[in-house]
Amino acid sequence: MTTWSVPRRPCRVFGLLLLMILSFLVLRRYLHLKPRSCDHEVAQRLDWHHLLSPWRRRRQLGLHTQGQNFMLEDSTFWILGGSVHYFRVPKAYWRDRLLKMKACGLNTLTTYVPWNLHEPQRGAFDFSGNLDLEAFVLMAAEIGLWVILRPGPYICSEMDLGGLPSWLLQDSGMRLRTTYKGFTEAVDLYFDHLMSRVVPLQYKHGGPIIAVQVENEYGSYNKDPAYMPYVKKALEDRGIVEFLLTSDNKDGLSKGTIDGVLPTINLQSQHELPWLSTFLSSVQGLQPKMVMEYWTGWFDSWGGPHNILDSSDVLKTVSAIIDAGSSINLYMFHGGTNFGFINGAMHFHEYKSDVTSYDYDAVLTEAGDYTAKYTKLRELFGSISGGPLPAPPELLPKTVYDPLTPALYLSLWDALQFLGEPTKSEKPINMENLPINNGSGQSFGYTLYETTIDSSGVLSGLVRDRGQVFVNTVSVGFLDYERKKIAIPLIQGYTVLRILVENRGRVNYGDSIDDQRKGLIGNIYLNNSPLRNFRIYSLDMKKSFFQRLSSSAWSPLPETPVFPAFFLGALSVDLSPSDTFMKLEGWDKGVAFVNGQNLGRYWNIGPQETLYLPGAWLDQGINQVLVFEERMAGPVIQFTDIPHLGTNHYLS
């Protein structure tokens, strides 16, 4: 290891001092502000990483405020940010998306950190592969972007339970997002691990993280006045030393603030802009204004339209925000995909789960392509950048692969023998409390409940979220939020009753997050008598689930398959793999997998008609395509180079 011997090398000391003085002068030049025609000044983005080697950097003040300005060290800094979630983008494409952000004229990346993915089982952490937060943040630094980190613990983000792990709900008295002991103890252990990774990435430690958000939109929840001070202290006690801020919509802004933390606002419409200059100022006083989430589009729900926001409206609103002297973060710059089962849901008047695509009608499409919003915003940001912007990267190629016909088939009922012993229980057990996954229960997917009945009648109970009911292997209907009773037809003798329950996504926003347990909730009744003696199978459909299915179990596709069932086919890729979109026309509802990667759910009620298949997840040669279908299979699986996200609905 090299040691620095200062007394023996006076010339070196003099040289280093001279270099530091010259570097300081260079920094001042790079941080020089260029005035705009609107008399606002925007700081040009400084790429510290390429100016100075890490051990020579002088980072003392970091991001701070001076009157109505943000300051980075001793120079005015204007935050021009964009949101990209690493967990919604294939790792192989992170660089592409961040280079496009840089080329758009933005200087700051914002991202959430999903607790439920990083701690899928209590005490077991995963920061590998697509969850490598540190690699994502360091890549942003390499490209020349600062980072605002939004570590939660609650993040909303249209994600299952707002990014909170479902095993928290094993506690029947759990009160999420409060100082309830069971919650704070879990947060403390998670933050112990997470912050040990985050602290070295902070600005004052030579990293790109210039600010950290305290929780997320707590003013809209506001169930415990001691909670936000607790989260702030939990961050600071673990070494977070950078600028702190909160984020709330206009309805929660007055209740989400905390001493020593800068409030910021979330909005979309130009009609909400007066909140910037009136209410936000009244809450925070003479401090910089920031729109932490300017919503560039919106998410979609199954059974609804595809929501879009006109690019001209986006340009007008963003221009108005900047002209008001406010910093801004585009939520989303690039939305990505709810791969697997990570989507959330809303439940106010009725339950609505989010679709697989998180395209969001953002500045970049789900597949990372440019939009009219990108072109217009790049021109705007380029006009205030103080210098030429980098050239936008070339688009990744898209292709249309030949349709494939599944060759092999396995009914769910035949697959059960390979899944190991089911959980046996006198009464139904909800997903989260199943004694599996090292005591952490089941988070995502389906759960199958079996019992024996000897009479017909009316079946009733609380099913979350959607339960397909079978008498032996014959489907007789569904139980869900709207249909709470179903007729069981005449049977002879003892008969197996099966209920296949899908967790369609836990609510991620609102007052009901404590009540998001899935599966059969409490007793299920036949003619008002509770049923007993259940066999319960966890169908989480993780890679380990499919590894248990024996290759000898599969059979050639029959003319009349028994559903639900798994269908297996091969996609041949002759040349270098390219992005494509899977289209399951004629199929009803289920989940698609390629080479073990869960692409997400499909459902013929729309609006989404295609699933994004990244070329990075394909191999040259033969690729395994597996589909779990609940009710009805189409003749083929198609591929297209154009996404179909549904009928457009313009947001006003």
Side-chain angles (χ1 to χ4, degrees):
M1 185 173 113
T2 302
T3 57
W4 298 100
S5 182
V6 175
R8 297 181 185 177
R9 309 241 182 202
C11 293
R12 175 177 290 174
V13 174
F14 178 78
L16 291 176
L17 289 173
L18 181 60
L19 179 60
M20 292 175 69
I21 293 171
L22 291 173
S23 299
F24 178 74
L25 295 174
V26 171
L27 295 181
R28 290 184 63 85
R29 179 183 176 190
Y30 271 81
L31 282 169
H32 181 69
L33 302 178
K34 178 181 178 181
R36 280 190 67 203
S37 58
C38 63
D39 295 327
H40 293 124
E41 295 179 330
V42 178
Q44 182 177 356
R45 168 69 174 91
L46 168 64
D47 189 351
W48 293 77
H49 188 88
H50 295 97
L51 283 173
L52 295 173
S53 58
W55 66 274
R56 291 174 182 160
R57 294 179 189 151
R58 292 194 55 173
R59 299 185 172 197
Q60 297 177 348
L61 301 176
L63 185 70
H64 58 286
T65 66
Q66 189 175 92
Q68 292 184 322
N69 294 323
F70 284 113
M71 308 291 291
L72 191 56
E73 293 304 314
D74 61 352
S75 296
T76 305
F77 184 72
W78 208 312
I79 299 170
L80 301 176
S83 291
V84 179
H85 300 152
Y86 56 100
F87 49 91
R88 283 184 163 124
V89 182
K91 186 175 183 179
Y93 292 162
W94 287 353
R95 182 175 298 275
D96 172 79
R97 307 317 194 239
L98 296 183
L99 286 172
K100 289 170 178 172
M101 174 180 286
K102 178 76 171 174
C104 192
L106 301 182
N107 60 23
T108 304
L109 163 72
T110 69
T111 187
Y112 283 127
V113 182
W115 182 7
N116 56 352
L117 301 186
H118 286 302
E119 194 179 359
Q121 297 179 22
R122 189 185 293 268
F125 299 96
D126 184 2
F127 285 81
S128 64
N130 231 76
L131 297 176
D132 193 342
L133 170 63
E134 292 145 293
F136 186 64
V137 170
L138 290 172
M139 185 179 291
E142 178 188 342
I143 287 169
L145 294 165
W146 299 115
V147 175
I148 295 177
L149 197 69
R150 311 175 78 185
Y154 164 86
I155 63 173
C156 185
S157 189
E158 288 72 63
M159 193 175 194
D160 188 279
L161 203 59
L164 299 174
S166 62
W167 45 258
L168 290 167
L169 298 175
Q170 292 179 329
D171 180 350
S172 61
M174 175 57 64
R175 288 184 286 127
L176 301 172
R177 305 181 72 192
T178 70
T179 52
Y180 176 71
K181 183 178 179 182
F183 183 67
T184 57
E185 286 180 346
V187 172
D188 287 341
L189 291 174
Y190 169 57
F191 271 11
D192 285 346
H193 186 96
L194 174 63
M195 297 310 154
S196 69
R197 296 174 179 271
V198 169
V199 165
L201 301 173
Q202 295 181 101
Y203 172 89
K204 292 171 185 172
H205 292 279
I209 297 176
I210 58 173
V212 175
Q213 183 174 301
V214 182
E215 237 265 351
N216 190 68
E217 295 185 324
Y218 194 71
S220 301
Y221 195 68
N222 192 36
K223 290 194 174 182
D224 184 350
Y227 176 66
M228 287 293 279
Y230 154 74
V231 177
K232 177 177 181 282
K233 186 174 188 299
L235 293 170
E236 293 175 333
D237 286 352
R238 289 163 178 81
I240 295 301
V241 296
E242 302 302 339
F243 190 79
L244 297 179
L245 42 81
T246 58
S247 170
D248 283 284
N249 59 36
K250 60 182 177 62
D251 297 325
L253 191 59
S254 62
K255 301 175 183 177
T257 59
I258 178 174
D259 290 342
V261 179
L262 181 73
T264 67
I265 192 169
N266 304 336
L267 55 81
Q268 181 175 74
S269 168
Q270 292 188 61
H271 303 300
E272 298 172 288
L273 290 181
W275 288 83
L276 265 179
S277 55
T278 55
F279 192 68
L280 183 59
S281 297
S282 70
V283 169
Q284 67 179 24
L286 188 66
Q287 294 191 78
K289 297 189 289 287
M290 181 169 182
V291 178
M292 175 52 71
E293 292 186 10
Y294 166 65
W295 301 317
T296 60
W298 203 243
F299 58 91
D300 298 337
S301 302
W302 288 114
H306 174 47
N307 294 305
I308 63 174
L309 186 62
D310 185 82
S311 61
S312 296
D313 290 340
V314 170
L315 179 63
K316 289 177 184 177
T317 305
V318 172
S319 297
I321 291 170
I322 291 175
D323 287 345
S326 174
S327 287
I328 187 172
N329 176 60
L330 305 176
Y331 188 97
M332 299 289 299
F333 177 77
H334 170 55
T337 308
N338 290 317
F339 293 117
F341 300 111
I342 68 172
N343 65 273
M346 301 292 278
H347 194 175
F348 292 108
H349 302 297
E350 60 178 313
Y351 174 86
K352 294 181 179 181
S353 59
D354 301 336
V355 302
T356 298
S357 172
Y358 200 61
D359 177 88
Y360 205 85
D361 193 38
V363 182
L364 295 179
T365 69
E366 180 180 12
D369 293 340
Y370 300 117
T371 66
K373 293 176 185 176
Y374 186 95
T375 303
K376 293 176 181 179
L377 290 175
R378 184 172 188 269
E379 183 177 351
L380 170 65
F381 295 138
S383 70
I384 61 177
S385 67
L389 298 179
E394 294 292 326
L395 292 179
L396 297 175
K398 311 293 185 297
T399 196
V400 179
Y401 292 110
D402 292 336
L404 71 86
T405 301
L408 299 175
Y409 149 90
L410 176 63
S411 78
L412 174 61
W413 318 123
D414 291 335
L416 295 180
Q417 60 185 306
F418 301 103
L419 302 183
E421 281 296 309
T423 296
K424 296 179 181 178
S425 173
E426 181 184 4
K427 299 179 180 180
I429 304 174
N430 56 284
M431 281 187 181
E432 297 79 6
N433 287 92
L434 288 173
I436 58 174
N437 294 322
N438 297 316
S440 295
Q442 181 180 346
S443 296
F444 306 115
Y446 297 77
T447 304
L448 177 67
Y449 297 82
E450 290 186 348
T451 189
T452 302
I453 59 174
D454 59 4
S455 66
S456 59
V458 177
L459 187 73
S460 62
L462 199 59
V463 177
R464 295 289 180 267
D465 295 302
R466 184 175 190 258
Q468 189 172 4
V469 180
F470 300 85
V471 174
N472 290 325
T473 61
V474 178
S475 177
V476 296
F478 291 88
L479 292 172
D480 55 23
Y481 290 91
E482 304 299 325
R483 295 165 289 193
K484 299 178 180 179
K485 295 181 179 181
I486 189 173
I488 301 298
L490 292 173
I491 59 175
Q492 294 183 348
Y494 288 98
T495 301
V496 177
L497 176 75
R498 293 175 164 125
I499 307 174
L500 178 64
V501 183
E502 178 194 12
N503 165 16
R504 290 176 49 200
R506 296 180 180 86
V507 165
N508 56 268
Y509 182 84
D511 293 334
S512 63
I513 60 172
D514 288 343
D515 303 319
Q516 292 305 304
R517 295 167 185 86
K518 301 298 183 179
L520 295 185
I521 310 302
N523 286 318
I524 191 87
Y525 299 89
L526 182 61
N527 299 326
N528 296 321
S529 295
L531 297 175
R532 292 290 182 257
N533 299 320
F534 286 86
R535 298 175 299 280
I536 308 171
Y537 294 86
S538 171
L539 311 176
D540 55 15
M541 300 198 187
K542 295 185 288 191
K543 289 183 179 180
S544 58
F545 172 89
F546 292 107
Q547 289 168 355
R548 293 196 293 267
L549 300 181
S550 170
S551 59
S552 62
W554 297 85
S555 60
L557 185 64
E559 286 190 15
T560 56
V562 175
F563 293 95
F566 301 94
F567 297 82
L568 188 62
L571 172 64
S572 179
V573 176
D574 295 331
L575 303 175
S576 179
S578 298
D579 287 2
T580 190
F581 300 89
M582 181 185 292
K583 189 172 185 180
L584 290 139
E585 189 172 355
W587 300 68
D588 186 85
K589 186 179 187 301
V591 192
F593 305 80
V594 174
N595 294 334
Q597 299 280 1
N598 189 335
L599 302 186
R601 311 172 211 253
Y602 64 89
W603 197 356
N604 65 3
I605 67 170
Q608 181 176 355
E609 299 175 22
T610 55
L611 293 174
Y612 174 50
L613 172 51
W617 289 353
L618 292 171
D619 301 320
Q620 189 171 357
I622 300 301
N623 296 266
Q624 183 193 79
V625 177
L626 192 153
V627 176
F628 175 70
E629 168 58 51
E630 295 182 22
R631 299 182 65 195
M632 180 177 67
V636 296
I637 299 170
Q638 303 174 69
F639 300 90
T640 177
D641 56 355
I642 300 173
H644 297 275
L645 298 179
T647 303
N648 291 342
H649 169 255
Y650 282 88
L651 299 167
S652 57

